[in-house]
Amino acid sequence: MHRRYSEVQTVCRARQGGVAIQLALSMTMLVAFAGLGTEAVMLLLRHRQMQSAADSAAFAGATAMAMGNPADFRVEARAVAASAGFISGVSGVILAVNSPPLSGSHAGAAGAVEVVISQRQTVPMLALLTAVPFDVGARAVATAGASGSYCLLELDPANMTGVDIGNGALVTLNRCGLAVNATGPAALSVSGGAQLNARSVSVAGGVSVTNGGQINAGSGIATQQPAVADPYRTTAVPGGSGCKYGAPGNPLTLRYASGVQTLNADGIYCGGLVMGNGANVVMNPGTYIINGGSFSIAGGVRLSGSGVTIVLTGSGSDYASVAMGNGTAVTLSAPPTGATAGLLFLQDRNAPKSGTSSFQGGTQVVLTGALYFPSQTVTYANGTNAASVCTQLVAWHMQFQGGALFNSDCTNTGVKPIGGAPSRLVE
């Protein structure tokens, strides 16, 4: 009996030992699987962190490219990635910022920023199963927007040339771009040794560069683009009746006189407003309505005024236009607030499309505000110099046959931004 009891105890102990070994092995496998699971979760989390950093860095780089600040958009992209803990060359991180992108659906696309991040991971449990190193990577691509960065906008969507730059013209757009809504294959034409310098160029149709023409666009030239909206399309055109100054066909004319001659916005100028022969004129603040004829400045005139809007209106085929030239010196600025905020020239939308307004003849002008000609062609020729820190041109068509300079520092001027497409992630 005692021996049988001992045998039973021995068998039980053996079975218990086997169970213990099985339990130990099971626990080891459970711990291993738990470790593998933990490492897998850590790799997934790291990938998500890396992807978020790549997205943010690409978007920041594209935004910097659109804004031109900082000048090297790569600096901004790297700084954003670094703020998320991914610094190239530190802890095995490899960071690349490419523009144009080197791969993907936007490979070679101007105005797109690609950020690629990778890092080798330490995974002890997974390393027991394979000798292949574990690298986690992420990639993102963003396209540069245009945060209201256009200072020239051509409005006519016809299948033709909307902006013509020729005859050796030098058109410089400082920190701003050109938008062309024309849809023709040569919607933007640069020829005859002319040169266009701009931050960006957006064209609904195509671009033609011939006979020594040149375009320098920091953020690239984009064709087949959506039309850019007219920012002043809802602005009402002030009107009125009667004539306080001049008459149809008989404009008020100012010639040289001793001292300064002053103009007031207290009535309608019919038949136009003509200044010549060295007149020295000051326009007091207000809205000047020119009904028919021409707002003409020539012959060494000196003209100045602040808080001024010049409305060009009329009837039938007689709508007012602008003619500046022949060595004049003009310094005018638009009102920063009010119904015509930011508008220095405001043309009636009913004016015939055949009309032309011109700024030419060695004119030295400082025009602060928007030159809005939604129904006419605007011509710059013979070395016109627009030296204001904020000059915006919106016109039905544009022709440049001489120098023209536009600037876009329009803070607190009342000028509305043109464009404004945001930067966006695309991959």
Side-chain angles (χ1 to χ4, degrees):
M1 175 70 81
H2 178 72
R3 186 174 62 185
R4 289 181 180 177
Y5 180 75
S6 298
E7 289 175 351
V8 171
Q9 283 184 318
T10 300
V11 171
C12 288
R13 290 192 188 101
R15 290 179 176 175
Q16 287 174 352
V19 171
I21 292 172
Q22 291 177 355
L23 287 174
L25 290 173
S26 298
M27 290 300 294
T28 300
M29 294 179 65
L30 287 173
V31 170
F33 281 120
L36 288 171
T38 300
E39 288 182 349
V41 170
M42 290 177 61
L43 290 174
L44 179 60
L45 178 60
R46 192 59 170 169
H47 171 72
R48 289 180 177 177
Q49 292 171 338
M50 197 174 291
Q51 187 63 59
S52 178
D55 290 346
S56 298
F59 183 81
T63 301
M65 176 182 285
M67 298 296 294
N69 184 28
D72 186 354
F73 62 89
R74 294 175 180 84
V75 172
E76 185 71 10
R78 293 190 184 104
V80 170
S83 68
F86 297 97
I87 304 172
S88 188
V90 176
S91 300
V93 171
I94 299 175
L95 171 66
V97 181
N98 307 312
S99 183
L102 301 181
S103 61
S105 59
H106 288 76
V113 177
E114 176 187 55
V115 173
V116 182
I117 305 174
S118 64
Q119 184 184 38
R120 183 151 296 180
Q121 304 297 308
T122 301
V123 281
M125 298 303 296
L126 289 173
L128 296 174
L129 301 178
T130 176
V132 177
F134 282 85
D135 292 334
V136 174
R139 174 182 174 275
V141 176
T143 53
S147 302
S149 61
Y150 299 115
C151 51
L152 267 63
L153 170 61
E154 181 270 347
L155 295 174
D156 185 7
N159 182 13
M160 59 178 298
T161 296
V163 177
D164 186 2
I165 305 174
N167 195 32
L170 175 60
V171 180
T172 301
L173 313 183
N174 286 334
R175 297 176 62 82
C176 57
L178 165 66
V180 182
N181 286 348
T183 56
L188 168 62
S189 174
V190 183
S191 62
Q195 181 174 318
L196 169 63
N197 299 316
R199 174 187 291 176
S200 61
V201 174
S202 174
V203 186
V207 175
S208 173
V209 181
T210 59
N211 298 327
Q214 184 177 352
I215 300 177
N216 301 311
S219 296
I221 302 170
T223 58
Q224 309 303 317
Q225 298 298 298
V228 175
D230 173 3
Y232 302 103
R233 61 191 178 278
T234 60
T235 300
V237 178
S241 59
C243 300
K244 182 166 185 177
Y245 303 99
N250 185 25
L252 173 65
T253 301
L254 302 179
R255 306 293 184 185
Y256 172 79
S258 60
V260 176
Q261 300 178 74
T262 301
L263 294 174
N264 296 302
D266 57 353
I268 296 176
Y269 290 75
C270 292
L273 175 57
V274 177
M275 291 168 263
N277 293 83
N280 186 1
V281 181
V282 172
M283 300 182 76
N284 285 328
T287 299
Y288 292 77
I289 299 177
I290 314 299
N291 191 326
S294 175
F295 182 83
S296 176
I297 309 169
V301 168
R302 288 180 293 168
L303 173 64
S304 62
S306 61
V308 170
T309 296
I310 300 164
V311 177
L312 307 167
T313 187
S315 60
S317 61
D318 185 19
Y319 278 78
S321 59
V322 175
M324 284 190 188
N326 195 16
T328 58
V330 180
T331 303
L332 295 173
S333 63
T337 59
T340 59
L343 286 161
L344 182 55
F345 286 98
L346 171 56
Q347 181 197 58
D348 194 323
R349 298 177 185 85
N350 295 317
K353 299 293 192 295
S354 58
T356 298
S357 286
S358 62
F359 300 82
Q360 58 184 332
T363 305
Q364 298 297 308
V365 296
V366 180
L367 303 178
T368 301
L371 318 181
Y372 183 54
F373 295 85
S375 300
Q376 282 190 345
T377 296
V378 172
T379 299
Y380 274 74
N382 301 332
T384 302
N385 177 27
S388 167
V389 297
C390 173
T391 305
Q392 190 184 78
L393 174 61
V394 179
W396 188 243
H397 293 154
M398 300 177 193
Q399 295 177 347
F400 296 91
Q401 303 296 323
L405 172 66
F406 293 83
N407 290 291
S408 62
D409 186 4
C410 295
T411 304
N412 299 323
T413 63
V415 167
K416 295 182 179 180
I418 300 174
S423 300
R424 61 191 181 93
L425 284 170
V426 293
E427 292 186 47

